[in-house]
């Protein structure tokens, strides 16, 4: 029960935070819908899987500057925000075979660190993409695996991302 409450609080905090801090993407692959450039975080990877385009954006919530709501100043049990359990936000934006933004589906994430420790979570639909929070505080290479169910089609993709 405690884990469920922690998860819900984390999602709520990220959702509240992200509504105020949308970042325009700095680059786009061919075929991107350029009319909607509001993405959460920094573009870290793009790929095509079975005709679908997946764009991954990453944000370290510890790096945010500027005015924050009071609820964002402290993390779990009054610890400073830099000590949050899952201070990283990962988004995947999916475009279908007709270059239309996917708004419905189920997306799951599995993030493994260099030692093989896995974090699994379901993505939550927000800002025209699917997002989750993760703990990627340790430097090193993480393998990010995404599984999406869209219109009875299963998409799976993974890539490596290095935290420096």
């Amino acid at each position: 029960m405690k884990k469920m409450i922690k998860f819900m609080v984390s999602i709520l905090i990220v959702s509240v935070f992200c509504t105020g801090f949308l970042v325009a993407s700095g680059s786009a692959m061919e075929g991107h819908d350029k009319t909607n450039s509001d993405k959460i975080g920094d573009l870290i990877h793009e790929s095509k899987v079975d005709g679908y385009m997946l764009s991954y954006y990453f944000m370290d919530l510890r790096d945010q500057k500027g005015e924050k709501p009071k609820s964002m100043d402290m993390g779990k049990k009054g610890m400073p925000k830099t000590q949050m359990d899952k201070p990283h936000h990962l988004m995947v934006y999916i475009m279908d075979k007709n270059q239309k933004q996917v708004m419905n589906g189920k997306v799951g994430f599995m993030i493994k660190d260099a030692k093989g420790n896995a974090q699994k979570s379901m993505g939550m639909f927000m800002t025209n993409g699917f997002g989750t929070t993760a703990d990627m505080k340790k430097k090193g290479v993480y393998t990010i695996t995404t599984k999406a169910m869209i219109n009875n089609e299963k998409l799976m993709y993974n890539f490596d991302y290095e935290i420096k």
Side-chain angles (χ1 to χ4, degrees):
M1 185 69 178
K2 281 186 176 182
K3 285 186 178 185
M4 180 66 130
I5 291 171
K6 286 180 185 178
F7 177 74
M8 296 300 281
V9 169
S10 295
I11 293 297
L12 179 63
I13 289 172
V14 168
S15 296
V16 168
F17 183 78
C18 292
T19 57
F21 293 96
L22 296 177
V23 180
S25 70
S27 66
M29 270 180 69
E30 188 175 346
H32 249 277
D33 179 10
K34 295 176 178 81
T35 60
N36 184 6
S37 63
D38 290 334
K39 306 286 190 226
I40 295 174
D42 297 320
L43 179 65
I44 61 166
H45 190 81
E46 290 185 314
S47 64
K48 279 197 169 185
V49 178
D50 297 332
Y52 288 84
M53 193 164 94
L54 303 143
S55 300
Y56 292 87
Y57 287 75
F58 180 81
M59 180 171 44
D60 187 338
L61 299 175
R62 300 172 299 172
D63 291 342
Q64 299 305 308
K65 296 182 180 4
E67 197 69 28
K68 297 178 206 66
K70 202 163 194 73
S71 63
M72 291 302 296
D73 292 336
M74 300 301 259
K76 175 182 161 190
K77 296 183 182 177
M79 289 188 278
K81 189 165 67 81
T82 56
Q83 299 299 316
M84 291 170 59
D85 286 341
K86 295 182 176 183
H88 301 96
H89 188 70
L90 180 66
M91 292 288 297
V92 61
Y93 296 91
I94 304 172
M95 294 183 73
D96 68 14
K97 298 170 184 178
N98 299 316
Q99 281 113 23
K100 302 281 187 219
Q101 196 75 37
V102 172
M103 307 294 241
N104 294 313
K106 292 182 182 180
V107 176
F109 294 92
M110 183 170 62
I111 301 169
K112 287 187 180 180
D113 64 16
K115 294 181 181 177
N117 299 317
Q119 301 174 61
K120 296 179 182 179
S121 64
M122 288 302 293
M124 177 184 276
F125 183 77
M126 60 182 79
T127 64
N128 297 329
F130 300 87
T132 191
T133 56
D135 176 5
M136 297 169 72
K137 292 181 275 202
K138 293 181 182 174
K139 293 180 181 181
V141 176
Y142 290 81
T143 300
I144 298 170
T145 303
T146 307
K147 179 179 177 181
M149 289 296 297
I150 301 164
N151 299 327
N152 296 322
E153 289 186 66
K154 181 171 87 170
L155 307 175
M156 289 206 56
Y157 185 76
N158 67 4
F159 67 98
D160 291 336
Y161 181 67
E162 183 176 5
I163 301 290
K164 296 178 183 181

